Amino acid sequence: MELAKLTITNAVRGLRAGRFSAVDLVASCREAIAARNADLAAFLEIFEDAEEAASTADHTRKELGDLSPPLLGIPLAIKDNICIVGKTASAGSRMLENYRAPYSATVIERLQRVGAIFLGRTNMDEFAMGSSTEHSAFRPTKNPHDPTRVPGGSSGGSAAAVSADMCLGALGSDTGGSIRQPASFCGIVGFKPSYGAVSRHGLIAMASSLDQIGPMTKSVADAKLLFHTIAGKDSFDATLREVALPVGDPEVYPRAMDIRIGVPREFFGEGLDPEVSTAIRAVLDRLREAGAVIEEISLTHASLALPAYYIIAPAEISSNLARFDGIRYGHRAADAENLAAIYTRSRSSGFGSEVKRRIMLGTYTLSAGYYDAYYRRAEFARRRIAWDFNEAFRSVDVIVGPTTPTPAFVLGTRTEDPLAMYLADIYTVGANLAGLPALSLPVGTVPSGTARLPVGLQLIGKRFADADLLDIAEMIEAMLVLPHSASS
Ligand code: GLN
């Protein structure tokens, strides 16, 4: 079981030194999965071909020796909305329960090219709509830190799999917080790259102007490794830009005293759990002691982020999900007597209630007469939000605050109240609307009954300065493991 607990970075060292093989790593992950997946429901499916891929990787390593790419033989988990040719990609929905991907996502091809291994597909909120993984059409995932609580969502399965050491790292997708919020709830690193840094080709689309694939890992160094492999131009996604990649050399990392940190006062307002606030402020104090400049800033339109997101995302959802009509893709109702009935019955029985709610909201806000009142105004708010971030970045290098207003909540407590569920994304949606890179870093735990629950610090960076953001995050991560006195 122990090997599965390794970070990717340490596993790479062990593989290189010949201390263990990729086959050993996969076996260790399998053991952890066998021990905990029945309870946690992190994976929807375990791929049978992982062992074979591992022994191929071991063989390749013998041939290539020191030239082996770092990720050769590293077992990863993949969110169920990222296509792998020949395998099911259900997006957590009955609609695509039996859908087999006819091609692989660009991120998958890139990882496969360097010999990474896919252990299985992870549970998620249906079509990535949700913040708890309870909207999965199959079953809810549980939080490994406290199984009475949610792991967050929508990439809750990936977060739980990494947190429970069932894999070494995972991919998630983030449209409004779906990588960072579950990472925060499960105590792992979750990185949403800049919009346009990682190809969306082969990601089952939710809201195309916001979606981004990113790594979920046990350390920032691991997130860098995965990002390094999946980022970069791709002819299948016209939004991509070549971004600077992290160098991975600790000598050139920023030191705390060289960075200016902006702390938006809007991220510490009403609704923030006092324990979370204290934990985040303690990290800021340590950074200040270490010499960082901490500046209170204002993101004046921050309160518009959630309302704007919940107009823009459903609008794009209503158009993206129109393709699931019972004809071209997925589930088709058996008893329909004509074409109109195929559409309505297939969509009625194939989609869950949250997906239907979003499609209806989106269709409404885009319809004649309402477009100007809702969609246009939300787009206007989106520009103001992006503008606020740009202004802030004139005086600070990074913007920091809590990833989520509360630690992981108890299963079943928000499923009947969509607004309470949406509030879990209040600090994360802004980065998606503005296209900025953002990362959740585990910075400690807070007491909750008999358990302790993880707290995540969110760091938001300048657009396409993903490498700088990762470097700053790694510096903070290193500072937090040092004894307190050594940090100044
Ligand atoms: N929880 C948010 C939503 O339900 C974000 C989802 C996501 O990032 N995919 O829309």
Side-chain angles (χ1 to χ4, degrees), residues 79 128-131 153-154 173-178 206 309-310 358 425:
K79 188 175 180 179
M129 298 172 207
S131 312
S154 62
S173 67
D174 190 314
T175 304
S178 280
M206 176 180 163
Y309 172 84
Y310 276 100
R358 306 260 183 131
D425 309 315

Side-chain angles (χ1 to χ4, degrees), residues 164-354:
D165 296 314
M166 296 170 168
C167 58
L168 273 64
L171 290 184
S173 67
D174 190 314
T175 304
S178 280
I179 288 176
R180 291 160 286 155
Q181 187 257 9
S184 165
F185 279 11
C186 291
I188 63 164
V189 172
F191 174 50
K192 181 202 88 76
S194 294
Y195 185 78
V198 174
S199 173
R200 293 167 299 125
H201 175 66
L203 169 70
I204 297 174
M206 176 180 163
S208 303
S209 77
L210 303 159
D211 296 341
Q212 197 62 197
I213 296 174
M216 305 179 76
T217 53
K218 299 174 198 180
S219 74
V220 179
D222 289 7
K224 282 183 170 181
L225 262 176
L226 291 183
F227 178 63
H228 211 286
T229 306
I230 61 177
K233 280 199 167 173
D234 172 22
S235 57
F236 291 117
D237 182 347
T239 62
L240 290 179
R241 243 265 219 121
E242 214 55 72
V243 293
L245 293 173
V247 279
D249 176 0
E251 293 299 315
V252 300
Y253 291 165
R255 290 163 304 164
M257 53 213 178
D258 298 330
I259 58 171
R260 292 161 306 165
I261 298 176
V263 181
R265 76 177 68 92
E266 292 79 4
F267 285 11
F268 289 85
E270 200 193 330
L272 176 61
D273 179 291
E275 298 265 15
V276 173
S277 175
T278 306
I280 298 297
R281 294 215 182 265
V283 179
L284 293 173
D285 287 344
R286 288 202 56 189
L287 281 160
R288 194 180 288 111
E289 281 169 32
V293 176
I294 314 261
E295 215 177 282
E296 191 178 74
I297 59 164
S298 183
L299 297 170
T300 322
H301 300 89
S303 64
L304 296 181
L306 203 63
Y309 172 84
Y310 276 100
I311 296 207
I312 292 166
E316 295 185 20
I317 287 164
S318 74
S319 105
N320 269 329
L321 271 60
R323 75 190 70 172
F324 304 110
D325 58 5
I327 302 286
R328 284 174 295 176
Y329 297 97
H331 167 80
R332 180 184 298 179
D335 52 351
E337 62 281 0
N338 57 38
L339 188 62
I342 291 181
Y343 291 158
T344 43
R345 291 207 195 141
S346 303
R347 286 168 71 80
S348 302
S349 54
F351 289 138
S353 57
E354 182 61 26

Side-chain angles (χ1 to χ4, degrees), residues 43-49 78-105 108 118-124 138 202 204 330-331:
F43 284 91
L44 288 174
E45 183 189 346
I46 308 297
F47 299 146
E48 294 302 328
D49 53 8
I78 306 295
K79 188 175 180 179
D80 191 29
N81 59 354
I82 301 174
C83 293
I84 306 178
V85 65
K87 299 204 187 292
T88 304
S90 82
S93 180
R94 293 271 171 225
M95 184 59 96
L96 291 178
E97 195 173 0
N98 301 310
Y99 173 72
R100 275 183 191 273
Y103 60 90
S104 286
I108 293 295
F118 307 129
L119 281 172
R121 55 190 175 94
T122 55
N123 202 5
M124 57 182 282
F138 306 106
I204 297 174
H331 167 80

Side-chain angles (χ1 to χ4, degrees), residues 39-63:
D39 178 35
L40 296 177
F43 284 91
L44 288 174
E45 183 189 346
I46 308 297
F47 299 146
E48 294 302 328
D49 53 8
E51 274 78 14
E52 199 186 309
S55 76
T56 307
D58 286 333
H59 195 74
T60 308
R61 182 173 296 279
K62 282 208 186 82
E63 282 174 8

